[in-house]
Amino acid sequence: MKQIAVISGANRGIGLEVSRQLARRGVHVVMTSRDEAKGRAATEALRVTDGLSVSYHPLDVTREESIRALAEHLKAEHGGLDILVNNAGIALDGFNAEVARTTIEVNFFGPLHLTEALLPLIRKSGRIVMISSGVGDRSRLSSPLKARFSHIEALTREEIVGLMRQFVTDVEEGKHAAAGWPSSAYAVSKIGLNALTVLFAKELAKDGRGILCNAVCPGWVRTDMGGPGASRSLEQGAETPVWLALEPPGTPSGAVFRDKTRVSF
């Protein structure tokens, strides 16, 4: 039976390239995106032009009913899944309360809610891959905040969620800098995503299904987000996420990788 992979934000960039590379390796890829027209066009191009085994389902990671519809589709159509790549994300211009709120909602709560919804459907030895970033580095935080995130294995889900909500509140109240946060919602969202990776890995270690959860920094990639001057091609950016999606048993869980090497964050 073919492995089933679900990729969020698969209509372009790294998500599209990860879809292509996984499908070329014999995985059936369910491509998802918020923009249905663009998502269906991207899926059709891989299916018809490249002859790959891919299908499409719309997904807005900020909407509970959209996530639920995807979960129901996967259960009915495929009986579950083997690989989840949380790729959907945004990097907005400027910095204010609305930017902070929207960025955290998409980049942190999106992967949290999608993973929670699909986790019961992930089969034994499944893989969860979080597309993170090198800017998700705890060194950007003040010493007290850095200390909290440095004991990341001890943080509960409620505490991590609380920290992300606190960041948004601090920005709204104009006190985020005094509270020790950087003036980058994108960076904070990726710090939170890395913490979430550790949390899921810790929970899955007790699960018994052998599911691994890791994050990856793809580097500066020539995407709409990275821009044309970025140093890495899409193929290079997708290499480590694909490797993590197909990694053999024995690979660490709850880590951040770059170029197939574990890195600190």
Side-chain angles (χ1 to χ4, degrees):
M1 186 174 68
K2 275 194 173 189
Q3 286 188 305
I4 304 297
V6 175
I7 319 293
S8 66
N11 62 300
R12 62 181 182 176
I14 290 175
L16 177 57
E17 184 59 29
V18 168
S19 298
R20 178 183 287 111
Q21 291 191 25
L22 284 176
R24 283 176 176 170
R25 287 163 172 79
V27 176
H28 177 80
V29 179
V30 180
M31 300 169 65
T32 73
S33 66
R34 184 175 57 176
D35 189 316
E36 187 169 349
K38 291 181 179 178
R40 289 193 183 280
T43 304
E44 191 70 359
L46 291 190
R47 190 179 67 81
V48 176
T49 306
D50 295 358
L52 298 175
S53 178
V54 295
S55 58
Y56 179 78
H57 197 282
L59 173 67
D60 183 341
V61 298
T62 66
R63 293 175 55 228
E64 181 183 345
E65 62 271 26
S66 181
I67 293 174
R68 185 170 59 250
L70 173 63
E72 291 171 353
H73 166 77
L74 291 168
K75 185 175 182 179
E77 189 71 20
H78 302 289
L81 68 152
D82 305 279
I83 298 164
L84 170 61
V85 180
N86 281 295
N87 168 74
I90 56 172
L92 302 175
D93 293 330
F95 181 74
N96 55 38
E98 184 57 32
V99 168
R101 187 181 308 107
T102 303
T103 303
I104 297 299
E105 192 67 29
V106 175
N107 293 2
F108 174 79
F109 284 105
L112 170 61
H113 294 152
L114 182 59
T115 304
E116 286 178 332
L118 298 189
L119 203 49
L121 300 176
I122 299 179
R123 291 185 271 260
K124 289 183 68 174
S125 301
R127 300 291 182 259
I128 301 169
V129 181
M130 307 288 197
I131 304 298
S132 189
S133 169
V135 303
D137 190 329
R138 291 172 287 194
S139 66
R140 290 172 170 262
L141 303 171
S142 68
S143 294
L145 277 175
K146 185 178 178 182
R148 292 196 69 180
F149 279 96
S150 293
H151 296 89
I152 204 165
E153 291 82 1
L155 289 175
T156 65
R157 184 174 311 210
E158 292 72 22
E159 287 171 329
I160 296 171
V161 167
L163 283 165
M164 292 297 102
R165 294 199 187 282
Q166 188 61 54
F167 165 70
V168 174
T169 299
D170 288 344
V171 175
E172 289 173 340
E173 297 176 356
K175 62 181 185 182
H176 75 278
W181 300 105
S183 296
S184 170
Y186 185 76
V188 173
S189 73
K190 295 303 184 180
I191 292 171
L193 186 63
N194 290 342
L196 204 57
T197 300
V198 175
L199 173 76
F200 277 123
K202 182 174 67 173
E203 293 177 351
L204 288 166
K206 306 171 186 175
D207 179 272
R209 285 181 288 170
I211 300 170
L212 303 185
C213 179
N214 286 300
V216 55
C217 167
W220 187 24
V221 181
R222 290 190 289 277
T223 61
D224 289 349
M225 188 183 296
S231 58
R232 293 190 169 201
S233 66
L234 282 171
E235 292 80 6
Q236 290 171 313
E239 184 177 358
T240 300
V242 169
W243 172 74
L244 283 172
L246 300 172
E247 62 187 331
T251 303
S253 189
V256 179
F257 288 83
R258 177 171 175 149
D259 297 331
K260 301 181 182 178
T261 301
R262 188 171 185 168
V263 296
S264 63
F265 66 96

